[in-house]
């Protein structure tokens, strides 16, 4: 095994040969959370350990603001691949990393260059690029994609300090999730697929009021102030990343209830970029057509205000896209099979797999509306993408099931 430091010194501990055959490939997930703490990074040499016995991972990026459902999405995604995602065994109890048999999810907050105190002293937020080490982020994502282990920093959300690093081995699927997975062009170019969770200001505000007023006793004025304080950095550094995403899940206020301001009934769009390698957008009824569909009330139980679907081609930041939309919520998840039967290019392994996954996680937030449905669908599409990449590397044709 060859071990090289950032200073390019190399020592050979055991013979290492290039493995040109591919077993199961590995994917790495990087996870980023918004942080509120600050100082300087833990010192010491950082090392990259070459692991010759593993295949190169597939790398997925998930971008979103704080409190927009990244953690729930990750749980749905890792469930599609099987196995429970847990913190590294025997490591830092405050680690942000989640590891399963197939996936590793890392939090991009770990690449903060300033701890909580340091950010406060410099007057910057965690959303500001100046508070993050993008050079190290790029070096380590690149190393993982090349099949090398890394010593990844840890940002401690409990203490607000930068803890000593932890060893991360290349997995089959590597996901980077957080505030900035698509901000740096170098990191963006390493992604095999990217997703952006886009929660509208109205919905974000309604959610925060429900949580902070009901659960934490905050005043309406303090909630508004906290939202407005972070908005300039969000608009400048986080929101623009959605133009680069291969898929965007956009959450909007419902159009089924006039002047609704509670944010309980949602209109959700799945915006899918055309022409992405190994990714075929989902469609409703007839691919490429523009369709509005109100499901039959005898086959899908819908209390007020009902459910409405739409599908059609569009443009998004100058890119050709297909858009699938759901407004409203399900009363009975077991009846979702009726909707699933009218969707194509789902990349399911068997009839009813979307419904099965939704029922499996019925207690997850968003399971009764388009957020849970579209997160589940994207999880299945990522599995299909992964299998196609592995088959291509092995030089064998893939027969991805598209029910």
């Amino acid at each position: 095994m060859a071990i090289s430091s950032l200073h390019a010194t190399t020592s050979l501990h055991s013979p290492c040969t290039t493995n040109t055959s591919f077993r199961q490939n590995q994917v790495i997930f990087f996870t980023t959370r918004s942080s509120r703490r600050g100082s300087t990074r833990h010192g010491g040499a950082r090392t990259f350990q070459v692991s010759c016995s593993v295949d190169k991972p597939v790398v997925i990026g998930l971008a979103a603001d704080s409190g927009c459902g990244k953690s729930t999405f990750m749980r749905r995604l890792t469930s599609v691949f099987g196995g429970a995602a847990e913190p590294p065994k025997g490591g830092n109890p405050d680690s942000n990393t989640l590891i399963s048999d197939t996936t590793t999810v890392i939090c991009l907050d770990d690449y903060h260059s300033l701890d909580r105190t340091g950010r406060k002293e410099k007057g910057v937020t965690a959303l500001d690029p100046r508070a993050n080490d993008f050079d190290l982020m790029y070096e380590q994502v690149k190393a993982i994609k090349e099949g090398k282990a890394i010593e990844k920093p840890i940002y401690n959300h409990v203490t607000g300090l930068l803890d000593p690093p932890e060893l991360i081995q290349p997995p089959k699927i590597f996901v980077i999730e957080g505030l900035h997975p698509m901000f740096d062009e170098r990191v963006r170019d390493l992604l095999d697929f990217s997703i952006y969770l886009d929660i509208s200001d109205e919905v974000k505000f309604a959610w925060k009021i429900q949580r902070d007023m009901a659960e934490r006793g905050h005043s309406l004025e303090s909630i508004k102030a906290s939202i407005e304080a972070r908005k300039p950095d969000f608009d400048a550094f986080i929101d623009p990343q959605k133009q680069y995403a291969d898929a965007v899940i956009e959450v909007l206020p419902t159009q089924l209830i006039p002047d609704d301001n509670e944010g309980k009934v949602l209109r959700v769009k799945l915006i899918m970029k055309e022409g992405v390698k190994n990714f075929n957008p989902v469609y409703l009824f007839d691919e490429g057509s523009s369709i509005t569909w109100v499901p039959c009330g005898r086959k899908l139980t819908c209390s007020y205000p009902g459910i409405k679907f739409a599908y059609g081609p569009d443009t998004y930041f100058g890119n050709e896209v297909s858009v699938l939309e759901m407004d409203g919520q399900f009363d009975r998840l077991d009846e979702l099979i009726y909707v699933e039967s009218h969707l194509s290019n789902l990349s399911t392994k068997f009839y009813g797999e979307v419904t099965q996954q939704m029922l499996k996680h019925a207690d997850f937030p968003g399971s009764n509306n388009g957020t849970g449905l579209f997160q589940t669908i994207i999880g299945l599409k990522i599995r299909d993408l992964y299998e196609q990449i592995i088959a291509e590397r092995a030089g064998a044709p893939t027969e991805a099931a598209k029910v």
Side-chain angles (χ1 to χ4, degrees):
M1 181 180 299
I3 300 179
S4 60
S5 74
L6 288 179
H7 303 289
T9 58
T10 304
S11 60
L12 189 64
H13 295 286
S14 62
C16 176
T17 58
T18 302
N19 181 7
T20 55
S21 64
F22 287 87
R23 303 166 303 155
Q24 270 190 311
N25 243 48
Q26 299 185 334
V27 184
I28 300 174
F29 290 49
F30 287 22
T31 308
T32 303
R33 295 175 216 154
S34 138
S35 54
R36 299 172 292 278
R37 332 170 227 260
S39 176
T40 54
R41 183 173 300 286
H42 172 80
R46 298 189 291 262
T47 62
F48 297 108
Q49 179 179 344
V50 181
S51 178
C52 299
S53 63
V54 297
D55 301 318
K56 295 179 180 179
V58 172
V59 183
I60 309 297
L62 173 64
D65 194 9
S66 173
C68 289
K70 295 188 298 293
S71 298
T72 300
F73 191 7
M74 286 298 95
R75 287 193 291 166
R76 292 188 192 277
L77 180 57
T78 54
S79 174
V80 167
F81 285 92
E86 299 175 343
K89 293 179 180 178
N92 187 328
D94 295 322
S95 170
N96 302 306
T97 302
L98 293 174
I99 298 174
S100 71
D101 293 341
T102 306
T103 65
T104 294
V105 181
I106 69 165
C107 173
L108 292 182
D109 281 4
D110 288 336
Y111 293 97
H112 288 337
S113 55
L114 299 172
D115 64 16
R116 188 184 306 164
T117 302
R119 292 196 302 274
K120 192 174 296 184
E121 289 174 349
K122 291 185 178 296
V124 298
T125 70
L127 289 72
D128 193 313
R130 292 174 295 176
N132 297 273
D133 189 342
F134 288 100
D135 288 339
L136 179 60
M137 186 189 299
Y138 164 68
E139 290 167 2
Q140 295 204 335
V141 176
K142 183 173 181 288
I144 285 285
K145 187 153 188 172
E146 292 172 348
K148 303 171 185 176
I150 61 173
E151 290 281 351
K152 184 189 62 60
I154 299 174
Y155 177 79
N156 192 315
H157 286 88
V158 177
T159 65
L161 299 174
L162 299 164
D163 287 352
E166 62 186 352
L167 178 67
I168 301 294
Q169 297 286 354
K172 294 178 180 179
I173 301 169
F174 189 56
V175 178
I176 60 171
E177 175 257 305
L179 293 170
H180 301 101
M182 291 173 272
F183 179 83
D184 188 292
E185 183 178 6
R186 299 169 300 171
V187 177
R188 192 164 67 236
D189 289 344
L190 294 171
L191 301 177
D192 292 292
F193 193 78
S194 55
I195 311 106
Y196 186 91
L197 302 183
D198 187 14
I199 314 300
S200 71
D201 289 342
E202 300 93 330
V203 173
K204 198 183 297 184
F205 184 61
W207 285 357
K208 195 165 181 64
I209 287 177
Q210 291 171 23
R211 184 191 68 182
D212 290 357
M213 289 187 72
E215 299 176 15
R216 303 179 182 178
H218 294 181
S219 68
L220 182 61
E221 291 73 21
S222 67
I223 294 171
K224 287 181 178 178
S226 67
I227 292 174
E228 291 304 315
R230 65 183 284 115
K231 185 169 173 55
D233 280 356
F234 171 79
D235 290 343
F237 308 122
I238 311 305
D239 193 57
Q241 293 177 80
K242 64 188 179 187
Q243 65 186 297
Y244 305 114
D246 298 313
V248 175
I249 297 178
E250 184 178 10
V251 184
L252 303 157
T254 181
Q255 292 182 333
L256 300 176
I257 304 174
D259 302 319
D260 177 68
N261 57 10
E262 292 187 2
K264 293 181 179 179
V265 179
L266 301 172
R267 177 167 64 106
V268 186
K269 292 183 177 183
L270 176 55
I271 304 168
M272 300 162 284
K273 190 179 291 183
E274 297 284 353
V276 176
K277 188 177 180 181
N278 298 318
F279 176 74
N280 294 310
V282 178
Y283 65 90
L284 177 66
F285 292 116
D286 183 38
E287 188 172 15
S289 296
S290 295
I291 293 167
T292 300
W293 178 45
V294 177
C296 174
R298 293 190 300 273
K299 299 176 182 177
L300 189 68
T301 305
C302 301
S303 57
Y304 178 82
I307 294 180
K308 182 178 180 180
F309 285 87
Y311 163 78
D314 205 342
T315 57
Y316 188 77
F317 289 98
N319 298 302
E320 297 296 321
V321 297
S322 290
V323 181
L324 179 63
E325 177 182 325
M326 175 184 165
D327 196 350
Q329 55 191 26
F330 302 109
D331 284 353
R332 294 182 52 182
L333 276 182
D334 59 316
E335 295 177 343
L336 176 60
I337 189 71
Y338 171 58
V339 173
E340 181 178 351
S341 67
H342 290 81
L343 296 171
S344 298
N345 271 356
L346 288 172
S347 298
T348 51
K349 297 291 188 183
F350 53 86
Y351 179 73
E353 187 178 12
V354 171
T355 302
Q356 182 193 74
Q357 284 288 329
M358 291 285 284
L359 286 168
K360 183 179 177 181
H361 304 298
D363 59 333
F364 283 13
S367 291
N368 67 338
N369 60 47
T371 58
L373 175 61
F374 294 158
Q375 287 176 7
T376 299
I377 289 174
I378 289 297
L380 295 171
K381 299 299 290 184
I382 289 174
R383 181 185 66 186
D384 181 37
L385 175 139
Y386 165 71
E387 291 173 350
Q388 290 187 64
I389 291 175
I390 298 312
E392 287 174 2
R393 290 175 177 175
T398 180
E399 303 238 353
K402 292 182 175 59
V403 179

